[in-house]
Each structure stands twice: as C-alpha cells, then as structure tokens.
Amino acid sequence: MSSFDGLSREELMQKVVELQQGLAELSEKVDTVKGENTQLREENNVLKDYLNNLMAKVGKMPNLGTTAPSKVMLQQNPDGAQSVKVNDHIGELTAPAVDD
C-alpha cells in the first residue's frame, strides 16, 4: 500500500505526529505570506493614491512645460559623470557622461 506498511502502532503514531507538525508549519508559513501580501497590497494602494493626488496637483499647475528649458550649468566630474545643477532648491543630479 505505502511506506507505512509493516510499521508498528507506535511508529505510525510518530509518523502521524510528524506529518501534523509539518502541516502546522506549512499553515503558519501560508498565514505569514498572506499577511505580508495584504500589507503589500495596502501599501500599494497608499502609493497609488499618493501618485494620483500628486499627478492631479501637477496637472493644475499653470504654465507647466510651456517655456523653453533654461541652460544648465555643467561641471566635469572625475568619475566620468556629468553633474547638472538643476535648481538651488533641488540640488545636483548626476547622469552618466555621454560621448558626443
């Protein structure tokens, strides 16, 4: 029939206990993963709402993108990247150097 044939009653009981413990551990892992999944879904919804609100506010900004971009101030970087001063309030953005 199976690998349980020929085992004594005590050995069978021990196997049943082992299988029950394994099942309990798997059930606990499933519950943990379900909880993590629920938390990630909630965080995703918060981020989605935040981005939607942000995009709605940006859409209401007047003259956004209607003027020509200003000249950027470039500095050489010994690491081979270009630092671009965007705005005194934003700081510097670093992008990889591009061969012209």
Side-chain angles (χ1 to χ4, degrees):
M1 181 181 178
S2 69
S3 63
F4 300 117
D5 290 342
L7 295 178
S8 69
R9 178 176 169 87
E10 186 175 311
E11 291 171 325
L12 282 174
M13 287 175 45
Q14 181 63 32
K15 288 283 186 187
V16 168
V17 169
E18 289 173 11
L19 290 172
Q20 286 176 335
Q21 288 173 342
L23 179 60
E25 290 171 4
L26 288 174
S27 294
E28 186 177 330
K29 286 180 184 178
V30 167
D31 290 341
T32 300
V33 170
K34 281 183 180 179
E36 291 171 356
N37 190 12
T38 299
Q39 182 180 358
L40 288 172
R41 286 181 188 273
E42 290 170 0
E43 290 175 5
N44 191 31
N45 286 333
V46 168
L47 289 172
K48 183 178 175 184
D49 290 342
Y50 175 77
L51 287 173
N52 286 337
N53 290 336
L54 186 62
M55 293 305 292
K57 287 180 183 179
V58 167
K60 293 177 185 176
M61 291 180 175
N63 300 324
L64 187 63
T66 58
T67 60
S70 62
K71 293 197 180 237
V72 295
M73 298 177 350
L74 298 178
Q75 295 177 341
Q76 291 292 41
N77 187 328
D79 297 329
Q82 290 181 342
S83 295
V84 179
K85 180 105 175 187
V86 177
N87 180 309
D88 287 335
H89 300 288
I90 296 175
E92 286 188 358
L93 300 177
T94 302
V98 179
D99 292 333
D100 292 0

